[in-house]
Amino acid sequence: MIDQVQTTRLANGLTILTEHMPGLRSVSLGVWVRRGSRHESAELNGISHFIEHALFKGTHRRSAHQIATESDRLGGHLDAYTAHEVTGFAMKVVDTELPQAFDLLADLVLNPRFDQDDLEREQKVIIEEMKMIEDTPDELLTELFHAAYFPDHSLGRPIEGTEQTVSSFNQATTSGFHARNFSPRNLVVAGAGNVLHSQLTGLVAQTFGEAANHAAQDTPDQVLPQTAAPILIEGKKELEQAHLIIAAPWPSAKSDDRYAASMLGTIIGGGTSSRLWQAIREERGLAYSIGAGGNTFTDVGMFTIYAGTSPAQLNEVVDLSIDEMRRIVREPVSATELELAKEQAISSVLLSLESSSARVGALARQEIIHGRRIAPEEIIRSIEVVTRESVQRVAQSCFTTTTLALGALGNLNGFLIDRSRLEI
């Protein structure tokens, strides 16, 4: 297979990536910033997410209405998101609209107006978003649990911030953080589809090439998070269900064990054939929602089991989940289970190759996390060489720990759990 990926790095540190996909008439294009909620101080918690919203309120060349109208005219697929370690802005357009789409994205990222009245209105919008999370039990439990699992660390803070911090973001604070962090050295511009590398590189160089890096920037939180082992029990009487998280340490996004860990997560709770789904939902009917998987960051990971069940069945669901973790530590997974997990993973890789949006996202993430492109063939080879022994080794490393943790939210009727029940 001919590699269609090309890379250019400008003198100011900005990285340009393209992947030509013959036969398409579309281009997926985006600008990614190597900054997210992890790179914020406690006082500025939520400002990356706030800026993501504020960029759409107008630039020095376009009003908010003009941005929305132009986005719709180009196809209406302009999207943005904020995560712990990255902020992204992307859109999918017909190939002939690439220059216009790039101009719109670049204007958003480079030239926000940050009008004070607009910022105050957006503060209200984000505070309403926080209230929506408060009314969504699984999301609320996830935020509460992250705060307890990563105490006194930015990974434990909510991506959207708090009402107190967001309410403090004025024009000076917002524009200052933007200037320090949305600078060329932190930007990755990527395109996939019917795109010529020379064309996109020319557009980027013309727009960003002379841009200087701000002398100072908010430095990433490089301190390795010291995870806690909380048992977090939160009462919420109005809920019909109890919501449960069980968590354990996990390999990071850069770890050599990440492929074996992915197979382990799939076997335990990654689909309808997984052990947890079969034991808890199919065989006993104890939950509608049950699953497991890993959350990975550049230097740390967290494995979680999530379930929603009635309060009366919570103890049984906890014990069954721990039993599956114990079993996978003590007994190697079967060859059949591992082969099925591999087939799922490889199918996911191959199917993603048909989507320019998936491919451009992968290009940007790989550059930001690994500093290089990881070809699909390399990913598939890494999946194929995972063994039953390596899966069990990861399970033994991650699950036989004193930092196994649990969180529960709901009308729990005095639910208590002794830490000895969490011992693997």
Side-chain angles (χ1 to χ4, degrees), residues 83 124 162 238 251 261 321 323 414:
K124 295 178 182 178
T162 67
E238 64 271 26
S321 299
D323 285 346

Side-chain angles (χ1 to χ4, degrees), residues 53 82 171 185 189 197 218 237 257 337 403:
H53 278 240
T82 306
Q171 186 180 49
R185 64 186 157 212
V189 178
H197 187 75
D218 292 56
K237 292 183 181 297
D257 283 332
E337 284 179 306
T403 55

